[in-house]
Amino acid sequence: MPTSKFLKEKAAELKKELNLVESAKSEEDYFRKRSDTTMNTRAEQLKDAKNKAFDTVAIWGLYGKEDIQRYKSFTLPLFMTTAGGPYDSLTDGSLLLSYQTTNDPNKIYSRIDNVNPDHLAWKFAALEGLGIPELTQGLCTSSGMSAIMMATMAFLKSGDNFVSSNRVYGGTQQLFGITYPKSGWNVRWIAEPWDLKQWEKQIDKNTKFLFTEFPSNPTLFIQDLPALAELAHSHNIPLIVDSTLASPALTRPLEHGADIVIHSISKVANGSCRCIGGVIVGKEKITTKDKELEKNFVNNLKGGHFRNMGPCLSPFNSMIIWDEMATIRMRMQEHSRKAMKIAQFLENHPAIESVNYPGLKSHPQHEIAKKLMKFPDGTNGYGYLMSFNIKGGLEKAKKFAEAFDFGVQLTHLGGNYTVWVHNATTTHGQMSAEERKVAGISDNLIRYSVGLEGEDDAIKALDKALNKIKD
Ligand SMILES: Cc1ncc(COP(=O)(O)O)c(C=O)c1O
């Protein structure tokens, strides 16, 4: 009998494999059992992650001892390949390609799976699942938009409808309002999403899900997620939340009743602003009228719409975002602290009409934000994004854009760099004036994403530009 720890572990590992081989009734049986073992190990790791600190999960995800030994690297290596392979045998290949086994993400084909997006998806699944007893599943996509598309279209057949807050990102408005109707998928917009009665009125027997953004871009509306989830579930439909602006460091919507959460990981998930990407995380079992979608929704997407339409995330982007997620909590905390200081400064400036920032007491849903936007240690934070209205309308907003000399005038958000934009002429420029009004985008609105630069530099520059445009 071996005496050292290493030899004992080695013997146990070999015995386990020998047992699997000897007890297999056929080659197929062996591969199925091996796949079950892999998935059970990941499920155990996910369960285990629930007892760990947020930062531990953000750093390691499910990249554990076995992965390190297997890849001989304590950092997640890059699998920059279209397909890893090889299959162990014909039977192995046949089971893998018919999605009956999933023992190695690198053996399929990188449009469907690859070690890097696989680990990034596990990391997000683990983080979003921290506050709930259920297991979660994740899937990375090529962008935030494709994450929204994948998470929603699976529910829709021609003639179906869904209900969405109209306080959503401009791209989502275009997808739901212009692209989807061409397939007979009908969005019912809610103009005042804080009013649950408006949501309830729009739900009928063909409604497949409710959709909202938390917080909303660019108006920073805060949805009461538990109340909306309760409403969705009372109609036996899921709540889908775009939680890009909150990130799992601040709010985990599944904990507040949502069934599926999506992120544009082009934002704070990679503060260096290098990559476009998206992710979907769902509970193992979701509330839906469609029995086929109820269990393993996200995992099934992978072998269905996702495989067929091809919006995969590149291994390279996955690797960068996986690394960047290690510091998400620290960055969000700094973003939030700086943003609060800047929001308070703006609120007191005579050239400013109003400031939308959930951390301010003047924000109409501040009390809800206080309940739902919390760091893992229970302290509040309100994120990096704010928007503000310049006194004097469109002309003054344009003057501000000319006078302000800090960060970059650009449509982006959530990065280490301060970025700001005049929405009515850019992100929401394709909407009619009436549509913008309904969506809360006034002509004098500036969206401002607080970066990690020194906040006093930002305040100085804001003060200079605002004083310049004052009457
Ligand atoms: C809240 C929100 N959701 C989704 C998206 C779309 O993400 P992507 O640009 O990664 O497709 C954006 C982009 O700005 C966004 O702000």
Tab-separated table of all heavy atoms in Angstrom, residues 203-255:
chain	number	residue	atom	x	y	z
A	203	ILE	N	-50.246	41.189	-19.937
A	203	ILE	CA	-49.995	39.736	-19.973
A	203	ILE	C	-51.263	39.008	-20.409
A	203	ILE	O	-52.339	39.256	-19.862
A	203	ILE	CB	-49.536	39.227	-18.581
A	203	ILE	CG1	-48.272	39.975	-18.152
A	203	ILE	CG2	-49.322	37.716	-18.587
A	203	ILE	CD1	-47.818	39.705	-16.725
A	204	ASP	N	-51.123	38.125	-21.408
A	204	ASP	CA	-52.262	37.274	-21.775
A	204	ASP	C	-51.765	35.848	-21.989
A	204	ASP	O	-50.603	35.538	-21.700
A	204	ASP	CB	-53.021	37.838	-22.988
A	204	ASP	CG	-52.179	37.815	-24.256
A	204	ASP	OD1	-51.197	37.050	-24.304
A	204	ASP	OD2	-52.500	38.569	-25.200
A	205	LYS	N	-52.613	34.998	-22.576
A	205	LYS	CA	-52.227	33.580	-22.659
A	205	LYS	C	-51.061	33.330	-23.633
A	205	LYS	O	-50.401	32.307	-23.568
A	205	LYS	CB	-53.438	32.702	-22.995
A	205	LYS	CG	-54.039	32.932	-24.378
A	205	LYS	CD	-55.174	31.944	-24.576
A	205	LYS	CE	-55.802	31.932	-25.940
A	205	LYS	NZ	-55.349	32.751	-27.013
A	206	ASN	N	-50.807	34.289	-24.516
A	206	ASN	CA	-49.684	34.120	-25.450
A	206	ASN	C	-48.405	34.823	-24.993
A	206	ASN	O	-47.427	34.916	-25.743
A	206	ASN	CB	-50.064	34.651	-26.845
A	206	ASN	CG	-51.142	33.798	-27.468
A	206	ASN	OD1	-51.150	32.575	-27.287
A	206	ASN	ND2	-52.078	34.421	-28.162
A	207	THR	N	-48.420	35.345	-23.772
A	207	THR	CA	-47.222	36.025	-23.261
A	207	THR	C	-46.236	34.973	-22.758
A	207	THR	O	-46.589	34.119	-21.953
A	207	THR	CB	-47.601	36.983	-22.117
A	207	THR	OG1	-48.597	37.888	-22.602
A	207	THR	CG2	-46.395	37.759	-21.622
A	208	LYS	N	-44.978	35.075	-23.225
A	208	LYS	CA	-44.011	34.020	-22.904
A	208	LYS	C	-42.995	34.389	-21.822
A	208	LYS	O	-42.419	33.519	-21.191
A	208	LYS	CB	-43.290	33.566	-24.181
A	208	LYS	CG	-44.231	32.881	-25.164
A	208	LYS	CD	-44.861	31.635	-24.528
A	208	LYS	CE	-46.113	31.127	-25.185
A	208	LYS	NZ	-45.895	30.419	-26.401
A	209	PHE	N	-42.743	35.676	-21.633
A	209	PHE	CA	-41.821	36.076	-20.557
A	209	PHE	C	-41.930	37.579	-20.321
A	209	PHE	O	-42.499	38.318	-21.144
A	209	PHE	CB	-40.362	35.694	-20.885
A	209	PHE	CG	-39.839	36.308	-22.150
A	209	PHE	CD1	-39.300	37.596	-22.173
A	209	PHE	CD2	-39.874	35.598	-23.348
A	209	PHE	CE1	-38.819	38.152	-23.351
A	209	PHE	CE2	-39.406	36.154	-24.532
A	209	PHE	CZ	-38.872	37.437	-24.531
A	210	LEU	N	-41.374	38.019	-19.186
A	210	LEU	CA	-41.221	39.448	-18.898
A	210	LEU	C	-39.729	39.768	-18.988
A	210	LEU	O	-38.887	38.929	-18.645
A	210	LEU	CB	-41.740	39.792	-17.498
A	210	LEU	CG	-43.179	39.370	-17.147
A	210	LEU	CD1	-43.559	39.918	-15.766
A	210	LEU	CD2	-44.176	39.849	-18.199
A	211	PHE	N	-39.426	40.986	-19.444
A	211	PHE	CA	-38.021	41.375	-19.622
A	211	PHE	C	-37.790	42.761	-19.028
A	211	PHE	O	-38.577	43.681	-19.261
A	211	PHE	CB	-37.675	41.402	-21.122
A	211	PHE	CG	-36.216	41.672	-21.405
A	211	PHE	CD1	-35.335	40.621	-21.610
A	211	PHE	CD2	-35.729	42.973	-21.463
A	211	PHE	CE1	-33.985	40.859	-21.874
A	211	PHE	CE2	-34.379	43.223	-21.709
A	211	PHE	CZ	-33.510	42.162	-21.927
A	212	THR	N	-36.708	42.887	-18.277
A	212	THR	CA	-36.346	44.219	-17.774
A	212	THR	C	-34.826	44.354	-17.671
A	212	THR	O	-34.107	43.359	-17.782
A	212	THR	CB	-37.021	44.500	-16.415
A	212	THR	OG1	-36.960	45.907	-16.151
A	212	THR	CG2	-36.364	43.737	-15.280
A	213	GLU	N	-34.399	45.585	-17.470
A	213	GLU	CA	-32.965	45.864	-17.364
A	213	GLU	C	-32.696	46.413	-15.966
A	213	GLU	O	-33.496	47.199	-15.457
A	213	GLU	CB	-32.627	46.940	-18.412
A	213	GLU	CG	-31.262	46.849	-18.992
A	213	GLU	CD	-31.109	47.806	-20.178
A	213	GLU	OE1	-30.757	48.969	-19.942
A	213	GLU	OE2	-31.364	47.394	-21.313
A	214	PHE	N	-31.537	46.050	-15.388
A	214	PHE	CA	-31.268	46.473	-14.013
A	214	PHE	C	-29.824	46.924	-13.850
A	214	PHE	O	-28.930	46.091	-13.958
A	214	PHE	CB	-31.557	45.308	-13.053
A	214	PHE	CG	-31.506	45.741	-11.618
A	214	PHE	CD1	-32.660	46.116	-10.961
A	214	PHE	CD2	-30.306	45.793	-10.936
A	214	PHE	CE1	-32.613	46.536	-9.633
A	214	PHE	CE2	-30.250	46.229	-9.616
A	214	PHE	CZ	-31.407	46.590	-8.969
A	215	PRO	N	-29.595	48.184	-13.451
A	215	PRO	CA	-30.422	49.366	-13.700
A	215	PRO	C	-30.523	49.590	-15.209
A	215	PRO	O	-29.757	49.020	-15.968
A	215	PRO	CB	-29.630	50.503	-13.043
A	215	PRO	CG	-28.619	49.866	-12.166
A	215	PRO	CD	-28.331	48.529	-12.765
A	216	SER	N	-31.424	50.484	-15.601
A	216	SER	CA	-31.621	50.668	-17.031
A	216	SER	C	-30.603	51.656	-17.592
A	216	SER	O	-30.186	52.606	-16.925
A	216	SER	CB	-33.038	51.167	-17.301
A	216	SER	OG	-33.166	52.511	-16.930
A	217	ASN	N	-30.218	51.387	-18.820
A	217	ASN	CA	-29.280	52.241	-19.546
A	217	ASN	C	-30.068	53.052	-20.575
A	217	ASN	O	-30.732	52.460	-21.414
A	217	ASN	CB	-28.253	51.330	-20.250
A	217	ASN	CG	-27.361	52.074	-21.230
A	217	ASN	OD1	-27.322	53.284	-21.235
A	217	ASN	ND2	-26.670	51.313	-22.073
A	218	PRO	N	-30.045	54.360	-20.567
A	218	PRO	CA	-29.218	55.263	-19.768
A	218	PRO	C	-29.979	55.989	-18.644
A	218	PRO	O	-29.418	56.882	-18.035
A	218	PRO	CB	-28.791	56.293	-20.818
A	218	PRO	CG	-30.001	56.440	-21.692
A	218	PRO	CD	-30.674	55.093	-21.708
A	219	THR	N	-31.231	55.605	-18.382
A	219	THR	CA	-32.015	56.430	-17.445
A	219	THR	C	-31.891	55.981	-15.987
A	219	THR	O	-32.437	56.625	-15.098
A	219	THR	CB	-33.502	56.476	-17.859
A	219	THR	OG1	-33.967	55.139	-17.979
A	219	THR	CG2	-33.707	57.227	-19.155
A	220	LEU	N	-31.204	54.861	-15.745
A	220	LEU	CA	-30.928	54.390	-14.390
A	220	LEU	C	-32.194	54.079	-13.589
A	220	LEU	O	-32.230	54.250	-12.367
A	220	LEU	CB	-30.036	55.381	-13.624
A	220	LEU	CG	-28.540	55.376	-13.919
A	220	LEU	CD1	-27.890	54.020	-13.726
A	220	LEU	CD2	-28.186	55.921	-15.277
A	221	PHE	N	-33.226	53.642	-14.302
A	221	PHE	CA	-34.435	53.209	-13.612
A	221	PHE	C	-34.120	51.897	-12.861
A	221	PHE	O	-33.403	51.033	-13.372
A	221	PHE	CB	-35.572	52.996	-14.630
A	221	PHE	CG	-36.672	52.129	-14.113
A	221	PHE	CD1	-37.461	52.556	-13.047
A	221	PHE	CD2	-36.899	50.871	-14.650
A	221	PHE	CE1	-38.465	51.742	-12.542
A	221	PHE	CE2	-37.899	50.055	-14.160
A	221	PHE	CZ	-38.679	50.491	-13.102
A	222	ILE	N	-34.671	51.768	-11.665
A	222	ILE	CA	-34.437	50.567	-10.844
A	222	ILE	C	-35.735	49.776	-10.702
A	222	ILE	O	-36.702	50.253	-10.082
A	222	ILE	CB	-33.914	50.965	-9.431
A	222	ILE	CG1	-32.578	51.704	-9.538
A	222	ILE	CG2	-33.795	49.742	-8.519
A	222	ILE	CD1	-31.394	50.862	-9.937
A	223	GLN	N	-35.748	48.608	-11.286
A	223	GLN	CA	-36.942	47.754	-11.219
A	223	GLN	C	-36.992	47.033	-9.869
A	223	GLN	O	-35.961	46.548	-9.386
A	223	GLN	CB	-36.862	46.702	-12.336
A	223	GLN	CG	-38.103	45.876	-12.514
A	223	GLN	CD	-39.137	46.591	-13.372
A	223	GLN	OE1	-38.845	47.018	-14.471
A	223	GLN	NE2	-40.340	46.731	-12.848
A	224	ASP	N	-38.183	46.938	-9.315
A	224	ASP	CA	-38.369	46.138	-8.102
A	224	ASP	C	-38.412	44.664	-8.547
A	224	ASP	O	-39.474	44.130	-8.889
A	224	ASP	CB	-39.678	46.555	-7.423
A	224	ASP	CG	-39.862	45.860	-6.073
A	224	ASP	OD1	-39.165	44.857	-5.830
A	224	ASP	OD2	-40.708	46.329	-5.294
A	225	LEU	N	-37.251	44.022	-8.566
A	225	LEU	CA	-37.152	42.675	-9.151
A	225	LEU	C	-38.021	41.634	-8.437
A	225	LEU	O	-38.725	40.861	-9.102
A	225	LEU	CB	-35.695	42.206	-9.198
A	225	LEU	CG	-34.760	43.015	-10.109
A	225	LEU	CD1	-33.336	42.479	-10.021
A	225	LEU	CD2	-35.230	42.994	-11.557
A	226	PRO	N	-38.011	41.580	-7.088
A	226	PRO	CA	-38.845	40.556	-6.435
A	226	PRO	C	-40.321	40.707	-6.792
A	226	PRO	O	-41.018	39.707	-7.034
A	226	PRO	CB	-38.602	40.790	-4.938
A	226	PRO	CG	-37.284	41.472	-4.868
A	226	PRO	CD	-37.182	42.305	-6.107
A	227	ALA	N	-40.800	41.955	-6.886
A	227	ALA	CA	-42.222	42.169	-7.195
A	227	ALA	C	-42.529	41.735	-8.632
A	227	ALA	O	-43.555	41.096	-8.895
A	227	ALA	CB	-42.577	43.642	-6.993
A	228	LEU	N	-41.615	42.059	-9.562
A	228	LEU	CA	-41.859	41.690	-10.959
A	228	LEU	C	-41.755	40.172	-11.152
A	228	LEU	O	-42.523	39.580	-11.922
A	228	LEU	CB	-40.861	42.414	-11.876
A	228	LEU	CG	-41.215	42.387	-13.356
A	228	LEU	CD1	-42.558	43.071	-13.641
A	228	LEU	CD2	-40.115	43.035	-14.206
A	229	ALA	N	-40.825	39.550	-10.419
A	229	ALA	CA	-40.691	38.078	-10.502
A	229	ALA	C	-41.968	37.412	-9.992
A	229	ALA	O	-42.455	36.437	-10.577
A	229	ALA	CB	-39.478	37.621	-9.696
A	230	GLU	N	-42.508	37.961	-8.927
A	230	GLU	CA	-43.735	37.386	-8.360
A	230	GLU	C	-44.881	37.468	-9.376
A	230	GLU	O	-45.626	36.513	-9.568
A	230	GLU	CB	-44.092	38.141	-7.079
A	230	GLU	CG	-45.057	37.362	-6.201
A	230	GLU	CD	-45.420	38.159	-4.956
A	230	GLU	OE1	-44.529	38.842	-4.398
A	230	GLU	OE2	-46.597	38.107	-4.580
A	231	LEU	N	-44.945	38.624	-10.039
A	231	LEU	CA	-45.996	38.795	-11.052
A	231	LEU	C	-45.804	37.782	-12.194
A	231	LEU	O	-46.751	37.118	-12.620
A	231	LEU	CB	-45.965	40.228	-11.608
A	231	LEU	CG	-46.971	40.499	-12.722
A	231	LEU	CD1	-48.400	40.483	-12.188
A	231	LEU	CD2	-46.688	41.835	-13.396
A	232	ALA	N	-44.560	37.665	-12.675
A	232	ALA	CA	-44.280	36.719	-13.772
A	232	ALA	C	-44.680	35.306	-13.355
A	232	ALA	O	-45.384	34.604	-14.095
A	232	ALA	CB	-42.793	36.770	-14.129
A	233	HIS	N	-44.267	34.916	-12.165
A	233	HIS	CA	-44.512	33.535	-11.730
A	233	HIS	C	-45.996	33.270	-11.490
A	233	HIS	O	-46.462	32.140	-11.672
A	233	HIS	CB	-43.672	33.211	-10.494
A	233	HIS	CG	-42.196	33.269	-10.780
A	233	HIS	ND1	-41.225	33.322	-9.823
A	233	HIS	CD2	-41.519	33.297	-11.975
A	233	HIS	CE1	-40.033	33.376	-10.393
A	233	HIS	NE2	-40.194	33.376	-11.700
A	234	SER	N	-46.735	34.314	-11.113
A	234	SER	CA	-48.178	34.108	-10.905
A	234	SER	C	-48.865	33.822	-12.250
A	234	SER	O	-49.974	33.310	-12.293
A	234	SER	CB	-48.809	35.318	-10.201
A	234	SER	OG	-48.865	36.404	-11.105
A	235	HIS	N	-48.179	34.160	-13.365
A	235	HIS	CA	-48.716	33.836	-14.697
A	235	HIS	C	-47.951	32.676	-15.328
A	235	HIS	O	-48.067	32.428	-16.526
A	235	HIS	CB	-48.644	35.071	-15.610
A	235	HIS	CG	-49.605	36.138	-15.208
A	235	HIS	ND1	-50.895	36.203	-15.692
A	235	HIS	CD2	-49.479	37.156	-14.324
A	235	HIS	CE1	-51.512	37.243	-15.147
A	235	HIS	NE2	-50.678	37.841	-14.309
A	236	ASN	N	-47.139	32.021	-14.511
A	236	ASN	CA	-46.376	30.855	-14.970
A	236	ASN	C	-45.416	31.172	-16.125
A	236	ASN	O	-45.260	30.373	-17.053
A	236	ASN	CB	-47.362	29.745	-15.369
A	236	ASN	CG	-46.727	28.375	-15.204
A	236	ASN	OD1	-45.665	28.261	-14.587
A	236	ASN	ND2	-47.333	27.366	-15.786
A	237	ILE	N	-44.819	32.354	-16.075
A	237	ILE	CA	-43.824	32.729	-17.105
A	237	ILE	C	-42.548	33.222	-16.401
A	237	ILE	O	-42.596	33.654	-15.247
A	237	ILE	CB	-44.359	33.824	-18.074
A	237	ILE	CG1	-44.916	35.026	-17.284
A	237	ILE	CG2	-45.400	33.258	-19.009
A	237	ILE	CD1	-45.357	36.176	-18.182
A	238	PRO	N	-41.407	33.144	-17.106
A	238	PRO	CA	-40.147	33.555	-16.478
A	238	PRO	C	-39.892	35.061	-16.532
A	238	PRO	O	-40.417	35.750	-17.404
A	238	PRO	CB	-39.093	32.818	-17.312
A	238	PRO	CG	-39.714	32.644	-18.660
A	238	PRO	CD	-41.213	32.570	-18.456
A	239	LEU	N	-39.049	35.506	-15.612
A	239	LEU	CA	-38.546	36.882	-15.660
A	239	LEU	C	-37.098	36.820	-16.153
A	239	LEU	O	-36.267	36.107	-15.575
A	239	LEU	CB	-38.605	37.537	-14.273
A	239	LEU	CG	-37.892	38.897	-14.172
A	239	LEU	CD1	-38.544	39.938	-15.088
A	239	LEU	CD2	-37.875	39.410	-12.734
A	240	ILE	N	-36.818	37.569	-17.220
A	240	ILE	CA	-35.456	37.645	-17.774
A	240	ILE	C	-34.919	39.051	-17.486
A	240	ILE	O	-35.586	40.039	-17.779
A	240	ILE	CB	-35.452	37.384	-19.298
A	240	ILE	CG1	-36.131	36.035	-19.592
A	240	ILE	CG2	-34.034	37.417	-19.851
A	240	ILE	CD1	-36.270	35.710	-21.082
A	241	VAL	N	-33.717	39.104	-16.898
A	241	VAL	CA	-33.158	40.408	-16.502
A	241	VAL	C	-31.810	40.638	-17.183
A	241	VAL	O	-30.923	39.786	-17.121
A	241	VAL	CB	-32.973	40.477	-14.966
A	241	VAL	CG1	-32.353	41.813	-14.555
A	241	VAL	CG2	-34.297	40.272	-14.240
A	242	ASP	N	-31.672	41.791	-17.819
A	242	ASP	CA	-30.374	42.229	-18.320
A	242	ASP	C	-29.713	42.997	-17.178
A	242	ASP	O	-30.101	44.112	-16.844
A	242	ASP	CB	-30.574	43.138	-19.548
A	242	ASP	CG	-29.245	43.703	-20.077
A	242	ASP	OD1	-28.236	43.646	-19.363
A	242	ASP	OD2	-29.247	44.218	-21.210
A	243	SER	N	-28.717	42.372	-16.578
A	243	SER	CA	-28.097	42.930	-15.366
A	243	SER	C	-26.696	43.481	-15.650
A	243	SER	O	-25.861	43.556	-14.759
A	243	SER	CB	-28.042	41.823	-14.306
A	243	SER	OG	-27.653	42.316	-13.072
A	244	THR	N	-26.478	43.874	-16.886
A	244	THR	CA	-25.167	44.380	-17.317
A	244	THR	C	-24.630	45.479	-16.390
A	244	THR	O	-23.477	45.464	-15.983
A	244	THR	CB	-25.286	44.961	-18.752
A	244	THR	OG1	-25.686	43.911	-19.618
A	244	THR	CG2	-23.989	45.562	-19.229
A	245	LEU	N	-25.504	46.447	-16.071
A	245	LEU	CA	-25.024	47.610	-15.320
A	245	LEU	C	-24.703	47.291	-13.866
A	245	LEU	O	-23.865	47.942	-13.254
A	245	LEU	CB	-26.051	48.751	-15.390
A	245	LEU	CG	-25.800	49.789	-16.489
A	245	LEU	CD1	-25.717	49.166	-17.862
A	245	LEU	CD2	-26.853	50.872	-16.468
A	246	ALA	N	-25.379	46.298	-13.312
A	246	ALA	CA	-25.144	45.970	-11.905
A	246	ALA	C	-23.920	45.075	-11.760
A	246	ALA	O	-23.111	45.251	-10.845
A	246	ALA	CB	-26.367	45.296	-11.316
A	247	SER	N	-23.783	44.100	-12.657
A	247	SER	CA	-22.757	43.050	-12.559
A	247	SER	C	-23.066	42.193	-11.336
A	247	SER	O	-23.691	42.669	-10.378
A	247	SER	CB	-21.321	43.611	-12.456
A	247	SER	OG	-20.954	43.781	-11.105
A	248	PRO	N	-22.573	40.940	-11.330
A	248	PRO	CA	-22.870	40.085	-10.166
A	248	PRO	C	-22.250	40.596	-8.869
A	248	PRO	O	-22.642	40.164	-7.782
A	248	PRO	CB	-22.305	38.714	-10.556
A	248	PRO	CG	-21.465	38.934	-11.766
A	248	PRO	CD	-21.905	40.204	-12.408
A	249	ALA	N	-21.299	41.535	-8.971
A	249	ALA	CA	-20.695	42.064	-7.742
A	249	ALA	C	-21.693	42.880	-6.936
A	249	ALA	O	-21.602	42.972	-5.715
A	249	ALA	CB	-19.478	42.917	-8.075
A	250	LEU	N	-22.672	43.484	-7.616
A	250	LEU	CA	-23.613	44.375	-6.928
A	250	LEU	C	-25.007	43.776	-6.735
A	250	LEU	O	-25.648	44.018	-5.716
A	250	LEU	CB	-23.764	45.676	-7.727
A	250	LEU	CG	-22.981	46.863	-7.232
A	250	LEU	CD1	-23.366	48.110	-7.997
A	250	LEU	CD2	-23.204	47.092	-5.741
A	251	THR	N	-25.484	43.072	-7.743
A	251	THR	CA	-26.842	42.525	-7.663
A	251	THR	C	-26.857	41.174	-8.370
A	251	THR	O	-26.311	41.045	-9.460
A	251	THR	CB	-27.848	43.459	-8.369
A	251	THR	OG1	-27.733	44.758	-7.790
A	251	THR	CG2	-29.278	42.966	-8.211
A	252	ARG	N	-27.459	40.203	-7.735
A	252	ARG	CA	-27.600	38.897	-8.371
A	252	ARG	C	-29.099	38.624	-8.539
A	252	ARG	O	-29.770	38.154	-7.629
A	252	ARG	CB	-26.885	37.827	-7.543
A	252	ARG	CG	-25.359	37.954	-7.631
A	252	ARG	CD	-24.609	37.261	-6.556
A	252	ARG	NE	-24.934	37.766	-5.239
A	252	ARG	CZ	-24.489	38.904	-4.713
A	252	ARG	NH1	-23.692	39.694	-5.404
A	252	ARG	NH2	-24.864	39.266	-3.504
A	253	PRO	N	-29.642	38.953	-9.734
A	253	PRO	CA	-31.093	38.924	-9.932
A	253	PRO	C	-31.744	37.556	-9.645
A	253	PRO	O	-32.910	37.508	-9.259
A	253	PRO	CB	-31.264	39.307	-11.404
A	253	PRO	CG	-30.059	40.117	-11.714
A	253	PRO	CD	-28.953	39.495	-10.931
A	254	LEU	N	-30.993	36.466	-9.805
A	254	LEU	CA	-31.601	35.145	-9.547
A	254	LEU	C	-32.010	35.040	-8.080
A	254	LEU	O	-33.003	34.406	-7.733
A	254	LEU	CB	-30.642	34.007	-9.908
A	254	LEU	CG	-30.137	33.957	-11.364
A	254	LEU	CD1	-29.276	32.719	-11.576
A	254	LEU	CD2	-31.283	33.973	-12.373
A	255	GLU	N	-31.223	35.702	-7.229
A	255	GLU	CA	-31.507	35.715	-5.796
A	255	GLU	C	-32.806	36.484	-5.520
A	255	GLU	O	-33.476	36.258	-4.523
A	255	GLU	CB	-30.320	36.437	-5.139
A	255	GLU	CG	-30.216	36.353	-3.663
A	255	GLU	CD	-28.970	37.141	-3.190
A	255	GLU	OE1	-28.014	37.352	-3.957
A	255	GLU	OE2	-29.004	37.564	-2.031
